[in-house]
Amino acid sequence: MATRVVRFLVPGTSGRFRCGGLSVELQTARLVGTVCDSEIVTYRERRDDCHHMADLLSTESASEDVLWIVSWGFDVPQLIRRLRGHRVAYHAHSSGYGFDLPPGVPVLAVSRNTLGYWGDRAPRNPLFLVPNALDPQWLEHGDRADASGRDRPIDVLVQARKSSDYVLKQLVPALRQRGVTVEVQNGWVEDLVSLFNRSKVYLYDSAEYWRVRGVTEGFGLPPLEAMACGCVVFTSLNHALADHCDPGRSAHQIGCGSLAHDLHRIQAAIGEPSQWRPPAAELGALLHANAEPRLLDRWRHVLLELDQLQMQWNQDPPLSSPPTWRLRWGQIKQRARRVVDRFPGWPNQA
């Protein structure tokens, strides 16, 4: 048996669904499509250029040749219920949504942070690490050779979305008062590569944004994209950002110590960007590890493993882990047993 079709489920593909998660799923579907047939399937919006989940489920029976990929955080539990009897895998970006997974639903985690979350929450489910791939445009057109930053008119680039109040209301005004050219980008930009190539320093501070929402930074592509364009990156280190942001090497922590400390370091980076960028060999290795060819190798391996697991599950049911309440109840009983075994005359059954 081999997977012949991989279906990536998204709520829709029009502008109102546009976000990093959708971009990643579309890119991954294209990438997987070089290994086997892949399809984008919507489950809310109906479009003429792709199938709708309800239509497929009403006309097709479950097939082991078809693998459904769910990914949209809060929708995952209901999608898995609707796909009962079908082969399903969870492409896990952010974590912290609070749901559990049925036994045998594989987790394809895009970061080590998410992998560790599910390694704790679903230790008997098959777990794989499949980081998001950098779009080839970043590697092909990113200006990593501009060592001096002389031809970069933007001293500091900030993307307003996800940025903290500290960055927008304290750090940016303080930089501007010192004569630093700061561009705060709002809205959708078609040519982000060009924008990053014109910037010396990139600021990314998403920790508070995600803490309020109760879920995690799924992968943190923007700092990696900025590095691919030769920017010096100052970033928070929450969640998946810690996968590829090594403080003092590939990136620098923002908002640590004091405002004056940030101002001093950022201005120094503007003055001598080459001294603040990661060593060329380390940056090259980091970008290579997240390039599409490497990620395609991972997807080939994952699909092969999932096929082998499915063949095994046709004979033996998948393993499952006891719910947390049962594990805690077992601990309580063990502690109670140790107490009563100390009573004089109590028969010790240990």
Side-chain angles (χ1 to χ4, degrees):
M1 183 201 71
T3 300
R4 294 182 180 176
V5 180
V6 181
R7 287 174 172 160
F8 290 84
L9 274 170
V10 298
T13 60
S14 64
R16 68 191 180 98
F17 296 105
R18 181 180 285 178
C19 65
L22 176 62
S23 298
V24 165
E25 289 304 294
L26 296 178
Q27 179 191 11
T28 304
R30 174 179 58 78
L31 196 63
V32 172
T34 64
V35 178
C36 63
D37 289 339
S38 70
E39 300 174 350
I40 291 292
V41 176
T42 61
Y43 55 89
R44 292 184 194 163
E45 181 183 45
R46 287 188 177 274
R47 295 184 61 87
D48 294 333
D49 56 353
C50 55
H51 292 295
H52 192 270
M53 177 184 181
D55 297 337
L56 291 173
L57 293 181
S58 66
T59 58
E60 297 180 358
S61 57
S63 170
E64 292 186 357
D65 293 338
V66 178
L67 175 65
W68 297 76
I69 304 288
V70 298
S71 63
W72 224 261
F74 294 109
D75 295 343
V76 167
Q78 60 170 309
L79 291 173
I80 290 177
R81 285 194 295 270
R82 290 179 66 185
L83 290 167
R84 187 172 293 135
H86 296 260
R87 292 182 64 196
V88 183
Y90 174 33
H91 193 197
H93 296 255
S94 301
S95 59
Y97 291 99
F99 60 80
D100 290 314
L101 290 171
V105 173
V107 177
L108 317 180
V110 304
S111 71
R112 294 186 183 279
N113 181 269
T114 301
L115 180 69
Y117 174 89
W118 284 108
D120 170 64
R121 198 170 184 103
R124 299 292 175 262
N125 290 53
L127 306 175
F128 301 91
L129 178 64
V130 282
N132 294 328
L134 272 172
D135 192 282
Q137 65 174 331
W138 298 100
L139 300 176
E140 295 168 2
H141 303 297
D143 187 4
R144 295 180 291 282
D146 179 15
S148 67
R150 190 178 302 110
D151 298 324
R152 295 175 181 246
I154 302 171
D155 290 329
V156 174
L157 174 64
V158 180
Q159 291 174 298
R161 184 174 179 268
K162 299 184 186 177
S163 283
S164 64
D165 283 351
Y166 165 71
V167 167
L168 297 177
K169 297 180 180 180
Q170 295 185 57
L171 186 54
V172 166
L175 287 167
R176 285 174 171 162
Q177 286 177 1
R178 296 190 175 201
V180 174
T181 303
V182 181
E183 178 159 333
V184 178
Q185 178 255 318
N186 262 302
W188 189 263
V189 175
E190 291 298 335
D191 188 4
L192 268 177
V193 177
S194 176
L195 180 61
F196 279 54
N197 280 342
R198 293 186 290 113
S199 306
K200 297 174 186 175
V201 171
Y202 176 68
L203 307 183
Y204 189 80
D205 188 18
S206 71
E208 293 174 359
Y209 174 91
W210 289 113
R211 194 192 316 156
V212 169
R213 282 152 181 78
V215 295
T216 64
E217 176 84 58
F219 185 72
L221 274 173
L224 195 59
E225 293 166 348
M227 292 178 209
C229 292
C231 298
V232 179
V233 173
F234 286 82
T235 180
S236 53
L237 299 168
N238 47 295
H239 314 127
L241 292 171
D243 275 20
H244 45 262
C245 293
D246 182 352
R249 300 291 294 184
S250 62
H252 309 276
Q253 185 182 359
I254 195 171
C256 64
S258 68
L259 174 62
H261 183 57
D262 276 349
L263 291 171
H264 172 75
R265 293 184 302 148
I266 291 169
Q267 286 189 284
I270 293 169
E272 293 186 279
S274 62
Q275 302 300 311
W276 290 77
R277 291 174 179 162
E282 292 184 17
L283 178 58
L286 177 61
L287 297 178
H288 176 69
N290 291 279
E292 285 193 350
R294 287 292 300 274
L295 276 301
L296 183 57
D297 288 342
R298 285 182 178 266
W299 273 99
R300 284 195 185 99
H301 169 74
V302 166
L303 293 175
L304 179 61
E305 286 282 322
L306 294 182
D307 288 343
Q308 293 174 345
L309 280 167
Q310 187 62 44
M311 291 176 64
Q312 188 62 47
W313 287 335
N314 289 336
Q315 303 174 26
D316 303 301
L319 295 172
S320 61
S321 181
T324 303
W325 69 265
R326 185 176 297 170
L327 294 172
R328 287 175 177 164
W329 177 242
Q331 282 191 344
I332 291 172
K333 291 197 295 185
Q334 288 178 0
R335 290 170 183 166
R337 169 60 62 184
R338 285 197 294 268
V339 171
V340 299
D341 281 348
R342 297 192 188 105
F343 294 165
W346 188 269
N348 192 323
Q349 300 177 8

